[in-house]
Amino acid sequence: MKLPPLLDTRFAQFLQVLPADYHEQAYAFKAFARPRKIKSPLQLLQLVLAYCGLDLSLRSCAGEV
């Protein structure tokens, strides 16, 4: 998913605040069970933040993925 440069740097800052094992926790809490179109918990997090934070429609989010 390609984010605009300003949002890309903010997302990088956001990732530094997350726990180091957020990837493993996504599997442990079954937030991410298996990769299909969305390949990683990081990509899922980007998609959720684009939908909720940027107030994009589901169709535009799906188009970005």
Side-chain angles (χ1 to χ4, degrees):
M1 181 175 210
K2 189 71 172 162
L3 295 174
L6 177 63
L7 296 176
D8 196 29
T9 58
R10 287 186 181 175
F11 187 72
Q13 292 172 349
F14 174 72
L15 286 179
Q16 292 178 354
V17 178
L18 289 178
D21 64 340
Y22 78 92
H23 191 268
E24 291 82 19
Q25 286 183 6
Y27 284 101
F29 290 115
K30 297 189 180 13
F32 190 81
R34 58 183 166 196
R36 290 184 186 168
K37 296 286 183 185
I38 300 171
K39 300 296 180 192
S40 68
L42 177 66
Q43 197 176 30
L44 177 63
L45 183 60
Q46 284 179 324
L47 183 62
V48 168
L49 289 177
Y51 178 66
C52 297
L54 298 178
D55 200 29
L56 296 177
S57 68
L58 283 175
R59 182 173 286 183
S60 63
C61 287
E64 291 294 324
V65 172

